[in-house]
Amino acid sequence: RRRHTRFRNVTGVQTCALPICTTALEIDEGLRAHMSSVYGIMSAGMATTGIVAYLTGQNDALLATLFTGGLRWAVMFAPLIMVFFLGSMINRLSQTGARLAFITFSALMGLSISWIFAVYTGISITQTFFTTAIAFGGLSLYGYTTKRDISGWGSFLIMGVIGLIVASILNIWMASSAMTFAISVIGLLIFAGLTAYDTQKIKNTYIAMASNGQTDWLGKAAIMGALSLYLDFLNMFMFLLHFMGGRE
């Protein structure tokens, strides 16, 4: 006992009770598994969107049907309605039901953005996607590893998103190229910030829930976290495509 105390004092190593250490270790391991689940669900949604968008974009007749007449409004706004549905109904849905709703939303989003394959070259779409993936990875890594509390960004960024939605809807009728450019620049910056913010929020939410033993809801929390990061990635991609996309 004396030798152990002396060793601790000389090295400055702090020890703690075994149950506390074990709990901290379990939380750390659980966090890595939780983040892997979040990124896995997000990737599945992104793959669904990509496949649906590509297959639809290769069919000129289907594109003409979807984006002419009154049907185009349903195609444009269906993903937004689905997001609000998933957010409001998540507590009532089972975990399987929530996953199905997320994949359904991803497919609807694929229909909504399928027009890009008729407007931009395939090479520029691919280049933009990988550029977005690199930027997203760096921003998400920053949000996960930084010791700085960036929760204060939330209210500012959410207000920016609301402003973007309103400006985008207005610009449907205004069709202003200058406004489109401004929306793309501001939108890219906002969703870059949201990527880091949402990643840290997902991490902190898991730690708080796991520390309090609230593990029952972690499966749904992973789905909602994946939805947040999915939206960050997709919006960064779409805004970046405005600058990098080579038009047909």
Side-chain angles (χ1 to χ4, degrees):
R1 182 178 301 174
R2 290 178 181 175
R3 293 177 63 184
H4 173 72
T5 303
R6 183 180 178 182
F7 173 79
R8 180 181 60 187
N9 291 337
V10 170
T11 60
V13 175
Q14 299 295 320
T15 59
C16 57
L18 182 58
I20 298 177
C21 294
T22 303
T23 301
L25 180 61
E26 289 175 349
I27 291 177
D28 186 57
E29 292 176 348
L31 176 60
R32 289 196 294 270
H34 180 72
M35 295 304 295
S36 296
S37 177
V38 169
Y39 289 120
I41 297 170
M42 172 199 161
S43 299
M46 196 60 64
T48 301
T49 299
I51 292 172
V52 172
Y54 177 78
L55 293 178
T56 305
Q58 302 306 305
N59 191 323
D60 294 338
L62 182 56
L63 279 177
T65 301
L66 291 175
F67 292 99
T68 56
L71 185 57
R72 63 176 175 167
W73 301 110
V75 173
M76 289 171 60
F77 289 105
L80 185 61
I81 295 173
M82 195 68 189
V83 165
F84 286 123
F85 168 80
L86 184 56
S88 62
M89 296 295 293
I90 186 66
N91 291 324
R92 301 180 183 180
L93 294 173
S94 65
Q95 185 171 330
T96 301
R99 280 179 178 264
L100 180 60
F102 175 69
I103 295 300
T104 302
F105 158 76
S106 301
L108 290 173
M109 185 61 78
L111 286 177
S112 182
I113 67 169
S114 59
W115 58 268
I116 65 174
F117 287 96
V119 176
Y120 299 102
T121 64
I123 294 177
S124 67
I125 292 174
T126 302
Q127 290 175 339
T128 304
F129 177 84
F130 283 109
T131 301
T132 305
I134 294 171
F136 175 88
L139 291 164
S140 189
L141 181 63
Y142 170 77
Y144 184 82
T145 59
T146 184
K147 302 300 181 182
R148 178 184 177 187
D149 182 11
I150 59 176
S151 59
W153 296 7
S155 57
F156 173 77
L157 292 170
I158 295 302
M159 288 176 60
V161 171
I162 295 173
L164 279 177
I165 293 174
V166 173
S168 298
I169 293 175
L170 290 176
N171 202 38
I172 292 175
W173 288 276
M174 295 174 59
S176 169
S177 58
M179 192 171 182
T180 299
F181 180 82
I183 289 173
S184 297
V185 173
I186 297 172
L188 185 59
L189 294 175
I190 287 176
F191 283 99
L194 277 171
T195 299
Y197 167 79
D198 285 333
T199 302
Q200 187 179 84
K201 182 180 178 181
I202 293 168
K203 175 184 176 182
N204 291 341
T205 298
Y206 174 85
I207 292 174
M209 295 178 68
S211 298
N212 295 326
Q214 300 174 338
T215 57
D216 293 342
W217 204 76
L218 286 177
K220 293 183 180 179
I223 296 171
M224 295 306 295
L227 176 62
S228 297
L229 293 181
Y230 170 97
L231 290 172
D232 296 338
F233 184 101
L234 186 66
N235 280 284
M236 283 179 62
F237 168 76
M238 294 300 293
F239 287 128
L240 196 58
L241 190 62
H242 177 78
F243 302 107
M244 296 183 61
R247 291 184 175 270
E248 293 283 6

